[in-house]
Amino acid sequence: MMSVENFNEIKKTSFWVSQLFILVSTVVGVFLAANQGYQQAVQFENMTSYKENYYLQKSLQYELQDNIAILKELMIRLQDPNYFGARNESPNFYSLVWENMKYSKTTLGTPPEFLRLAQQFYRNIATTQQKIAKGDISIPSGIKQFQAQIDIIEQQLIPALEKSTEQIKKELDGTSVIL
């Protein structure tokens, strides 16, 4: 038979063992909960970033398409011999998206080659227009340069933006993010 003293000793040992298990399980539980919370926060941030980048790229795409239409109208006016102000007319581009990209943290999430092509388009169009206005180049030569810039945007940048936004859309499929 077991003595009272041995019985009390067993009770003390089992008490401390149970306390140790409670402590370990609490620490593991807190760690797992914190880890899961962190993963959810990172996932939320990624989804938000994807959504913002989708809208930024789509908006840039639409703005560029609208500006190409404006440039094509200018090119038609430049070829009209009865329109004397054409040489000094500059395209009145929409620039809301392009200008606001300076202040958006999402801009830096946009692939650099997209930004580079858009920047070159705006810069080269402005330079060509200035040369036409000053008479440094002929109108037909300027129109060829305009068309070269349009071709780059229509053949390279617009398809790349469409492909990128489709990829982002695929990433967001199956999530609760609505585009």
Side-chain angles (χ1 to χ4, degrees), residues 5-21:
E5 192 174 290
N6 283 343
F7 184 69
N8 284 336
E9 197 59 38
I10 290 173
K11 281 175 69 177
K12 287 180 186 176
T13 305
S14 66
F15 170 78
W16 288 111
V17 169
S18 69
Q19 292 302 310
L20 181 64
F21 279 119

Side-chain angles (χ1 to χ4, degrees), residues 25-92:
S25 63
T26 301
V27 169
V28 169
V30 168
F31 171 76
L32 292 175
N35 190 35
Q36 187 63 27
Y38 174 74
Q39 288 176 359
Q40 290 296 319
V42 167
Q43 184 178 13
F44 175 77
E45 181 62 32
N46 285 340
M47 294 301 132
T48 301
S49 178
Y50 281 141
K51 182 178 179 178
E52 289 172 354
N53 211 292
Y54 174 86
Y55 285 128
L56 179 95
Q57 289 182 33
K58 267 300 178 196
S59 297
L60 178 61
Q61 175 187 337
Y62 294 150
E63 185 172 275
L64 285 167
Q65 288 171 326
D66 290 345
N67 288 340
I68 285 173
I70 290 168
L71 184 58
K72 286 179 178 180
E73 289 174 12
L74 175 64
M75 290 165 58
I76 291 168
R77 286 193 302 276
L78 282 170
Q79 295 176 50
D80 182 356
N82 297 323
Y83 183 55
F84 297 108
R87 183 175 282 281
N88 294 318
E89 185 179 342
S90 24
N92 190 15

Side-chain angles (χ1 to χ4, degrees), residues 54 57-58 61 111 114 156-171:
Y54 174 86
Q57 289 182 33
K58 267 300 178 196
Q61 175 187 337
F114 297 175
Q156 294 178 33
L157 184 54
I158 299 297
L161 284 165
E162 287 175 350
K163 184 178 179 182
S164 178
T165 53
E166 281 303 312
Q167 182 63 35
I168 293 170
K169 207 176 208 181
K170 285 179 186 175
E171 290 282 336

Side-chain angles (χ1 to χ4, degrees), residues 83-114:
Y83 183 55
F84 297 108
R87 183 175 282 281
N88 294 318
E89 185 179 342
S90 24
N92 190 15
F93 284 151
Y94 299 115
S95 61
L96 175 70
V97 175
W98 186 247
E99 290 298 319
N100 282 298
M101 286 174 68
K102 295 177 195 175
Y103 310 106
S104 172
K105 65 180 175 131
T106 308
T107 301
L108 297 179
T110 303
E113 59 272 13
F114 297 175

